[in-house]
Amino acid sequence: EITIKIEPPKEAKLKPQDIPLDIIYEDKDIIVINKPKGMCVHPGNGNPEGTLANAVLNYCKDSLSGIGGQIRPGIVHRLDKDTSGLIIVAKNDDAHIRMSEEIKEHKVTKIYTALVKGNVPENEATIDMPIGRSKTRTHQIRVHLAQIGYPVVGDEVYSNGKNEFNVKGQMLHSTILEFDHPITGKRLHLEAELPEYFKQILEKLDNK
């Protein structure tokens, strides 16, 4: 005999904060946000507030999935603090579960734009190099690009320390997301324009 006790969702201890959000898409089930560089997705060591979770909690009020727990309500996936761009937040548990399954089954297309050091000779390539201990493949893009000799500009962890453009944090942007809406099944194609600082560096390179 197996007894399962499901506790009711605990009230989030997050502090709602009135932080502006760049909303790319929103309906009653999900919200897709263009996260700025420098913002953590949820509170952690050294970042108790000012996070995306704080901002979303303030914006959505009671309309957020509780599956993410007290610290990550509605957060379906993550982006590093200094990686900007598109991120999905679920407004209810049903959307959260289905969206998580879609990500786990690799049915979500994620396209990133990265500025890397060096001149990459190939226009298209596949990197097939299983790296690291984590099953969630933390920093996957950054690790792989550094491994093949083209670290992301500004990456303080996996780069060689040189920072020609004097930028803080890696030049990595989640540009495009394509996925089936977790409730309606409609295929969504969402894009986030490159941040202004990204464009400025590309302009400098074009003028060289």
Side-chain angles (χ1 to χ4, degrees), residues 34-119:
N34 181 16
K35 184 188 82 67
K37 180 164 121 174
M39 175 185 272
C40 289
V41 172
H42 50 77
N45 293 334
N47 298 284
E49 53 185 48
T51 71
L52 183 73
N54 293 105
V56 168
L57 187 62
N58 179 74
Y59 178 81
C60 294
K61 304 293 189 292
D62 296 329
S63 177
L64 263 186
S65 165
I67 289 179
Q70 296 181 21
I71 302 299
R72 307 181 229 189
I75 304 296
V76 179
H77 62 116
R78 56 161 297 191
L79 291 176
D80 296 331
K81 176 182 177 180
D82 288 326
T83 298
S84 57
L86 298 176
I87 184 167
I88 306 166
V89 177
K91 287 187 172 184
N92 55 67
D93 291 356
D94 197 13
H96 196 133
I97 292 169
R98 295 186 187 188
M99 202 69 249
S100 297
E101 289 174 350
E102 208 172 326
I103 292 172
K104 184 178 180 180
E105 294 170 4
H106 305 290
K107 293 180 179 179
V108 178
T109 298
K110 301 178 184 178
I111 297 178
Y112 290 79
T113 301
L115 181 63
V116 302
K117 298 181 182 181
N119 296 313

